[in-house]
Structure formats: structure tokens, C-alpha cells
Amino acid sequence: MNETIGCDAWHLTHSQPSLLVDYFDPGRGFPGQINSLVSRFQAVQAMCVAGEGSFSLTELRNELAFHLIRMSRWWRVDFCPPGLTGVRAPLFMSYVKAHAARSVEDEALLDLFTVQQHMRAGDPGHIMVLGRESDGGGARSIVYGLDGRKAFRFTTRATGAVIDWSRQAYPDFAGAWLGARAYHCPAETVRVDLREHLAAEREHGWARIWHRRHFHRASENTLVRHYLDAMSRLVACQSRFGRAEFESIVNAVAFKMVRQAVERRISLAGLLEEDGSRDMSRRVADCIRQRALRYVGQSIDSLQRPKLEALIARSGP
């Protein structure tokens, strides 16, 4: 354990979830945020297990565990505590509940995401307000909520007006955020912006399945195919939001390809040739390596970058 990872005071200053995650700005994407949460949780948990952490560090560990659950629900990511953190699910959830017991807002969110003792479970009309964002003038706000079906909703209301939620429900927050922008596109910019917003909604729909399996380990027989499929989606994207999502997705798959090649002790070109891609293997291998480096630089926690950059370096020139 290096000096930074093992420093109690450093984590208390630099590993607070509020510094790692912005739930209400999907434009930041989720890979870098959730990867950082996993990395910081693992580092803080290791210190707690070793008896090196203070009471404050234990509370930070519990808070990071809660935000891993929240972030996975926010983006509908498959999350398995034992597989990702090495902590058994019951123990991990005890950390989450310990944090929730200290925060009314977080306890309400955890209840809504899980047993729903305080919500009318399955009722789309029973909605918990999550937050709001105001337009430049402050006269109108977009309000976001989560209903009894665990679906995200939005509405716009004038100051003092009764909330009238949109009937459309979304499986993740980013969908509601994009839907709100398409629905409330200003009349003066509708011709230009509406097409962009609708394309972003459509392309985010394509990206959802990729986000859900973000932590999955693809089999050796499907990884190259996943890369080609993600590239085809990237080429088809027409919105800035969609292109950014699929750039990150393609880079993530590229990193998984490099990691698999290193683990199997074969070249990237050899990995491609196994899938029948002999004609393009040498031409594409360098591009895949560059995408993998970009993924590590943009979407991996700074504490993990040195060892992963070294791994990519081992994949060849």
C-alpha cells in the first residue's frame, strides 16, 4: 500500500463522495465517477480492516458504500459488492445502513431503492423529490423525482405552482435529464436544439445496456465483437451527448481487450486474429491501445492509474 492510499488524513480530505460524484450532471458520464467510488472504498476499507483507520474513516467507508449503491441505481448499473469490493453482501449492506442511519435524506433514498417501507411501492403517483435545477432567470425550474416504481420523473413548474409530473418515466436519471431538455426546449431554439435533444435521448437508450454491464467481464469469444458493435454505435451517434457516451464505452471495451491480452500473454493483434479479424488486426491494435490509455486517463481513479498504465505498456509497442 503506497503512502497516499494508506494515509488517513488524505482520504478524509480527498475521498469525500461529494468530490467524486455529481448526480445532477449526467454530462460528466458515470464511468469515472463510479470507478473512483470503487477505488476509494477499497482503499479506505483496507485501512479499516487493518485497524489503521479512525472513527471518521469508518464513517467515510460507510458513506462511500452508500454512494456505490446510489450511483448504481442512478445509472442502472449491475453492482455486486463481493465481486467489486471483496466484501460480502450482508456486511457491505451493514455499512450502507450505518451511513443511512446518520442521514434522513440518504435513509429515505435507500428505503426507496430497496424495501420501500415509506413509499407506496409500485405507485407511479407517489414521488420523492430529488432536486431541481433553475433556468438562467430563475422563474422556472426543472424538478426531478423518483416514484414508487423506482423510475425517474421530471416536471417544470412556475414558482409556487403545484407539481404536475410528466407521465413519462425513465429507468435512470440521465434519461429523465435528457427528456426534460427535449420537452422544455425553448421556442427560440427548438429548430436547432430539439433535434440534438431527441438524438441524445435515442442514443442514451442504446447506451443503457452498455452501462448496465459496465462491471461485467466479457468472455474471450465476445470481447472483440463488443468492440466492433460499440464502434458502430459511436459512428451512428448524431448528438454530442451520445458521442461522448459511446466514446467512453468504446474506450472501456478497448481497455478490457488490452487487459485480456496481457492476462493471456498474447498480443493485441493475436487477440483480434482469433476473432477472424486478421485483415485489420495490425491496423487496429495501436488504436485500441491508445483508446485504452485514454480510458485510464479519463475514467480511472488517479490512485489506480500508474499500475494500469503499466499494464497497457506490457501489451506491446
Side-chain angles (χ1 to χ4, degrees):
M1 183 176 294
N2 65 37
E3 184 176 345
T4 298
I5 294 177
C7 179
D8 187 316
W10 189 91
H11 281 290
L12 291 174
T13 302
H14 295 91
S15 296
Q16 297 294 331
S18 60
L19 302 176
L20 305 175
V21 179
D22 185 345
Y23 288 103
F24 292 94
D25 182 12
R28 282 185 58 179
F30 87 95
Q33 298 181 80
I34 199 165
N35 289 344
S36 292
L37 285 173
V38 171
S39 172
R40 301 304 171 90
F41 173 84
Q42 290 174 328
V44 172
Q45 167 68 352
M47 294 176 64
C48 291
V49 169
E52 301 171 1
S54 62
F55 178 74
S56 295
L57 202 70
T58 299
E59 290 187 333
L60 175 60
R61 188 254 336 256
N62 297 344
E63 187 177 4
L64 288 164
F66 168 81
H67 282 279
L68 278 169
I69 294 294
R70 178 175 175 178
M71 192 67 170
S72 67
R73 299 297 190 272
W74 213 255
W75 286 85
R76 283 298 191 270
V77 180
D78 289 343
F79 177 73
C80 174
L84 290 173
T85 68
V87 178
R88 293 180 296 107
L91 180 58
F92 185 87
M93 288 306 300
S94 73
Y95 299 159
V96 174
K97 292 174 183 177
H99 168 74
R102 300 174 53 244
S103 167
V104 173
E105 179 180 347
D106 290 346
E107 191 279 332
L109 265 178
L110 179 63
D111 175 76
L112 197 160
F113 284 137
T114 54
V115 296
Q116 293 191 320
Q117 291 180 332
H118 307 315
M119 292 288 290
R120 294 197 294 268
D123 183 355
H126 196 197
I127 302 173
M128 175 181 173
V129 174
L130 298 172
R132 72 184 66 196
E133 57 178 331
S134 300
D135 62 16
R140 186 174 293 272
S141 298
I142 299 174
V143 180
Y144 297 101
L146 194 61
D147 67 24
R149 293 180 177 176
K150 304 179 184 180
F152 290 86
R153 308 279 289 278
F154 73 84
T155 187
T156 296
R157 66 168 185 172
T159 302
V162 176
I163 294 181
D164 183 17
W165 295 98
S166 168
R167 293 183 180 181
Q168 181 67 43
Y170 301 85
D172 56 22
F173 179 81
W177 185 81
L178 291 168
R181 276 151 178 73
Y183 188 81
H184 298 295
C185 187
E188 62 270 19
T189 64
V190 68
R191 179 175 297 181
V192 175
D193 290 347
L194 184 58
R195 182 179 300 176
E196 171 83 9
H197 294 324
L198 292 176
E201 278 196 274
R202 179 178 65 252
E203 290 151 14
H204 178 64
W206 300 345
R208 280 195 181 104
I209 183 62
W210 297 89
H211 295 334
R212 182 173 183 177
R213 64 190 186 196
H214 175 74
F215 288 116
H216 290 197
R217 290 297 293 262
S219 71
E220 295 178 4
N221 298 326
T222 61
L223 197 51
V224 175
R225 181 53 48 191
H226 285 173
Y227 180 80
L228 296 175
D229 289 346
M231 278 296 301
S232 69
R233 288 295 192 183
L234 173 59
V235 171
C237 286
Q238 299 177 348
S239 72
R240 292 184 297 275
F241 189 89
R243 286 192 295 272
E245 281 197 297
F246 273 96
E247 278 284 349
S248 178
I249 289 167
V250 169
N251 294 347
V253 180
F255 172 74
K256 291 179 181 180
M257 292 173 70
V258 170
R259 181 174 60 189
Q260 186 178 106
V262 171
E263 290 174 351
R264 293 181 56 202
R265 298 184 180 180
I266 63 174
S267 67
L268 275 173
L271 190 70
L272 292 166
E273 289 174 2
E274 286 184 349
D275 194 65
S277 306
R278 185 181 302 274
D279 291 342
M280 72 168 190
S281 60
R282 286 192 174 87
R283 177 169 53 86
V284 174
D286 285 342
C287 179
I288 291 173
R289 192 175 292 106
Q290 289 303 312
R291 283 191 172 280
L293 282 169
R294 201 173 306 150
Y295 179 72
V296 169
Q298 297 175 348
S299 301
I300 294 294
D301 182 35
S302 58
L303 299 183
Q304 304 299 324
R305 286 175 194 162
K307 70 177 182 180
L308 296 181
E309 288 169 348
L311 180 146
I312 294 171
R314 289 162 53 196
S315 67

